[in-house]
């Protein structure tokens, strides 16, 4: 069956043991879409305000805190950094 993951620790363990995780709870906000170099290039602007599935490939620690490295499920080639705890990304992962 499908495992439901809802904590940072569970997601990290799954990434380490089984590879990428799908977040079905990422909310594409207008602020993210407009303010980042990734938003307009990697997401459909008509989808702002709604859930947008993303693939979590890993994480890293930056000078500003931890970020998930994600890709849009619509085929982006570049990893998109999204801060841990932002945009509801951890609420529902598979």
């Amino acid at each position: 069956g499908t495992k439901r993951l809802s904590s940072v620790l569970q997601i990290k363990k799954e990434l380490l043991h089984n590879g990428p995780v799908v977040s079905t709870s990422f909310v594409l906000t207008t602020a993210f879409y407009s303010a980042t170099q990734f938003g307009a290039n990697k997401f459909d602007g008509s989808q702002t305000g709604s859930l947008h599935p993303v693939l979590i490939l890993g994480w890293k620690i930056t000078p500003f805190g931890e970020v998930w490295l994600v890709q849009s499920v619509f085929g982006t080639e570049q990893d998109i950094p999204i801060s841990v705890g932002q945009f509801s990304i951890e609420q529902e992962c598979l």
Side-chain angles (χ1 to χ4, degrees), residues 38-55:
F38 305 106
N41 295 329
K42 307 300 180 191
F43 294 96
D44 179 355
S46 69
Q47 301 296 313
T48 57
S50 61
L51 296 176
H52 183 88
V54 293
L55 187 62

Side-chain angles (χ1 to χ4, degrees), residues 7-20:
S7 76
V8 172
L9 184 58
Q10 286 177 330
I11 295 166
K12 286 179 177 180
K13 283 182 179 179
E14 187 68 16
L15 287 167
L16 287 172
H17 295 289
N18 298 310

Side-chain angles (χ1 to χ4, degrees), residues 22-93:
V22 175
S23 169
T24 58
S25 58
F26 172 71
V27 177
L28 180 61
T29 66
T30 302
F32 179 83
Y33 182 79
S34 301
T36 69
Q37 65 183 358
F38 305 106
N41 295 329
K42 307 300 180 191
F43 294 96
D44 179 355
S46 69
Q47 301 296 313
T48 57
S50 61
L51 296 176
H52 183 88
V54 293
L55 187 62
I56 302 175
L57 303 172
W59 75 93
K60 70 178 181 177
I61 298 172
T62 73
F64 306 104
E66 281 188 292
V67 296
W68 295 117
L69 301 173
V70 306
Q71 288 183 349
S72 170
V73 296
F74 299 112
T76 62
E77 298 171 9
Q78 185 177 12
D79 294 348
I80 303 165
I82 295 178
S83 295
V84 170
Q86 295 230 309
F87 308 109
S88 304
I89 197 165
E90 297 95 358
Q91 285 183 356
E92 184 75 29
C93 293

